[in-house]
Amino acid sequence: MEKTLERPLPRGDAAATKAEYESGKPPIHCSGWTTVRPHQRYGALQQDIHADVAVIGAGLAGSSVALHLAQLGASVALIEARQPGDGASGRNAGHVQPFLDHLEYLKDWPNAGQDFIQMFIEQRNIVFDLCEKYRIDADALKSGMVEAALKPQKSLAAKARHWRSMGYAVEELDATGMRKILGTGAYQYGLHWSEGGRVNPYLLTNGMVAAAAGLGAKVFGDSPVLQCHRDGALWRVATAQGSVRAGKVIICTSGHDGNGFFPGLAATSYPLVACAVATRPVPKEVLDSINPTRAAVTQFPTGLYPIVMDGSNRMISATIPHPGRASEGAVYFNYFLNYLHKTFPQTRDVDIQMESYWTGVTASSSHVYHADYPNIFQLDDGVMALSNLGTWGNIMGPLLGRHLAQVVYADRPQDLLLPWLTPQSRTVRHPDWFSFKVRRFMLPAARLVDKLGLA
Ligand SMILES: Cc1cc2nc3c(=O)[nH]c(=O)nc-3n(C[C@H](O)[C@H](O)[C@H](O)COP(=O)(O)OP(=O)(O)OC[C@H]3O[C@@H](n4cnc5c(N)ncnc54)[C@H](O)[C@@H]3O)c2cc1C
């Protein structure tokens, strides 16, 4: 661990190039999550060292793997190309979703996915539990989650019944109930989950890394891994200036990103550039009138304007940018503002301004939006990957990172509750197809449906 940085200043659109926004990689300072607090910088790997396990990539996935391996007693080296949280994990929308969708896609998993579902149910509060256990100050709040709909929805009612039968506190709300929870008459129906909520994902990622380091993990930043090859009975993970010799390697580089050392892995996901916006702090009484419990909000079925309200009284939202227009933050901020004004008339006279705008890249396992479950790959003897966390990395990263760490530490691959995959079985033929479909057709259609009030 090196020095502590000064509080980074928020940087506007001018600070990053159009190409950086389009690729989902404007400097991490653009992310609204990094403006809150100073963070640690980790120095580069400059020696040849040994560890039981080398973990590559310090996003939500790699940080959790490293933390839980270290907690179990393994010696761990966590190697990050830039700094922890610099990928999607420092750039997301902050929702912590406490439930799973489309369970039918788990039917080919071990025990038809039932054991995985059970683990999810038991550990659905993992984000909040980890923050408490390791004293991670990530502005995490179990404030619940609301799925808001313009009219009653049979599929939501069925979902509520299903999860209630598994012990969840989820309420179906009519127009009166919705008005109480969201302070608008716009929604006639919705689900209110009392668990889930919000987190600053950048601070959560960095908090897990700091906790791992506190437990003895060696953490290296500014160290892109260039090669991973056999070295006798071990693997040698090499960067420009150093290497780690390890019995096991776990790759958490988010599938598509920078893992040319296992090209098969890079071909297993559908990358999609998403964008997010944070407002400047809004008067507390205004937020109280919109969302007194500060539940994370999403709109069913379009999800066009997710809302998280953070501990600094800011609102954070996310969407998918128009093709070729990912750098135009004001466009997406204005979409969000129009939604607020239309849905919550009490905001019309409030001066709500944009504080930050940024983009990031999600890695999905399927071109079907809702079939997007994470993947765990066996790449070679002792080399694994956890990737494709899709749009629910805030919970899947910590959860599956812990699960994989337990399986690897115990050396019991048979205990994995997900299928062990090979990249060959998941090779994506046209990786850009998903992005094309979503940005050209699905989002414009969703915006039209929303505009016409059809959903
Ligand atoms: C705009 C947006 C909104 C989102 N909203 C939500 C949300 O509200 N809730 C939610 O749960 N999820 C959300 N997501 C998804 C979530 O952010 C991701 O699923 C999650 O962050 C993925 O974590 P990861 O660790 O797999 O990948 P990443 O966070 O991308 O981490 C991968 C890391 O690997 C490093 N790396 C890459 N190559 C190398 C190399 N060669 N050597 C060393 N290191 C390397 C990268 O620098 C990076 O730090 C959103 C994503 C975006 C972009």
Side-chain angles (χ1 to χ4, degrees):
M1 233 179 294
E2 269 183 353
K3 59 191 176 190
T4 298
L5 281 186
E6 296 284 306
R7 174 187 161 116
L9 291 173
R11 295 161 35 143
D13 286 10
T17 64
K18 186 167 188 240
E20 286 172 324
Y21 278 111
E22 290 294 339
S23 65
K25 290 178 193 160
I28 191 67
H29 299 87
C30 295
S31 165
W33 299 118
T34 65
T35 60
V36 177
R37 200 163 302 134
H39 60 277
Q40 306 284 169
R41 256 198 106 72
Y42 295 89
L45 174 63
Q46 292 178 322
Q47 300 158 287
D48 298 318
I49 63 168
H50 176 270
D52 296 336
V53 187
V55 181
I56 309 175
L60 287 153
S63 306
S64 177
V65 171
L67 168 59
H68 291 102
L69 278 169
Q71 195 253 327
L72 287 165
S75 78
V76 184
L78 175 60
I79 313 158
E80 163 57 45
R82 291 167 287 187
Q83 291 291 321
D86 204 309
S89 301
R91 300 164 189 265
N92 74 39
H95 279 61
V96 181
Q97 182 177 310
F99 54 86
L100 300 169
D101 274 316
H102 297 282
L103 303 177
E104 65 274 17
Y105 288 101
L106 303 180
K107 65 180 186 319
D108 297 330
W109 286 25
N111 193 20
Q114 291 309 308
D115 297 340
F116 170 77
I117 294 169
Q118 196 53 40
M119 175 176 74
F120 184 90
I121 291 171
E122 284 164 10
Q123 301 187 25
R124 63 190 186 256
N125 289 312
I126 186 167
V127 168
F128 310 104
D129 295 345
L130 286 178
C131 287
E132 194 177 327
K133 177 169 180 181
Y134 293 105
R135 297 175 196 276
I136 298 172
D137 189 0
D139 193 29
L141 189 68
K142 204 202 293 179
S143 49
M145 195 161 171
V146 176
E147 293 180 87
L150 294 177
K151 51 189 185 210
Q153 300 282 347
K154 281 188 185 148
S155 62
L156 285 185
K159 182 160 92 173
R161 276 196 302 278
H162 181 76
W163 287 91
R164 253 196 315 262
S165 75
M166 297 194 288
Y168 270 64
V170 48
E171 263 186 296
E172 276 182 86
L173 300 179
D174 60 10
T176 312
M178 284 302 288
R179 185 183 275 284
K180 272 194 202 141
I181 197 101
L182 283 188
T184 170
Y187 296 114
Q188 300 296 305
Y189 179 80
L191 296 189
H192 177 215
W193 305 79
S194 68
E195 290 163 310
R198 71 156 197 241
V199 72
N200 176 324
Y202 179 75
L203 295 181
L204 173 62
T205 304
N206 274 276
M208 288 194 287
V209 173
L215 290 166
K218 303 259 186 306
V219 182
F220 303 98
D222 303 326
S223 302
V225 169
L226 304 174
Q227 284 183 347
C228 178
H229 54 82
R230 278 190 191 282
D231 185 355
L234 301 178
W235 288 91
R236 183 181 290 272
V237 175
T239 66
Q241 297 169 289
S243 69
V244 179
R245 291 173 74 239
K248 294 199 168 115
V249 180
I250 303 181
I251 301 175
C252 301
T253 52
S254 191
H256 56 280
D257 194 8
N259 47 24
F261 48 92
F262 270 107
L265 186 59
T268 59
S269 61
Y270 293 93
L272 176 67
V273 170
C275 62
V277 62
T279 68
R280 288 190 196 281
V282 173
K284 180 177 172 301
E285 56 278 14
V286 176
L287 298 189
D288 287 345
S289 80
I290 299 175
N291 181 353
T293 64
R294 304 294 190 265
V297 179
T298 178
Q299 301 79 21
F300 184 89
T302 59
L304 279 178
Y305 311 102
I307 312 174
V308 151
M309 295 176 172
D310 79 354
S312 306
N313 290 339
R314 303 180 309 163
M315 284 186 266
I316 291 91
S317 188
T319 189
I320 310 295
H322 295 288
R325 297 180 62 192
S327 60
E328 299 173 30
V331 170
Y332 311 105
F333 177 69
N334 283 331
Y335 283 161
F336 180 58
L337 205 54
N338 288 339
Y339 160 78
L340 282 179
H341 288 167
K342 189 169 117 193
T343 313
F344 303 94
Q346 64 270 44
T347 61
R348 287 180 193 160
D349 296 328
V350 183
D351 182 20
I352 298 176
Q353 294 184 12
M354 180 166 90
E355 182 192 77
S356 329
Y357 170 75
W358 64 97
T359 58
V361 192
T362 61
S364 296
S365 59
S366 166
H367 64 90
V368 181
Y369 210 80
H370 51 250
D372 188 20
Y373 275 91
N375 290 153
I376 294 185
F377 292 101
Q378 181 81 56
L379 298 166
D380 206 326
D381 190 20
V383 185
M384 293 142 271
L386 166 56
S387 58
N388 308 102
L389 301 186
T391 54
W392 42 18
N394 285 339
I395 186 138
M396 289 297 184
L399 182 81
L400 294 183
R402 173 150 77 187
H403 180 49
L404 186 57
Q406 287 165 342
V407 167
V408 167
Y409 185 77
D411 200 15
R412 286 184 58 84
Q414 65 273 32
D415 289 350
L416 193 77
L417 302 181
L418 291 76
W420 284 106
L421 301 170
T422 60
Q424 296 72 25
S425 70
R426 289 292 154 139
T427 301
V428 162
R429 279 187 203 284
H430 303 289
D432 294 334
W433 164 239
F434 179 61
S435 173
F436 183 80
K437 189 172 73 169
V438 171
R439 292 175 79 176
R440 288 265 172 211
F441 302 113
M442 287 172 66
L443 253 287
R447 287 191 177 114
L448 186 64
V449 164
D450 179 65
K451 196 169 167 188
L452 301 176
L454 297 177

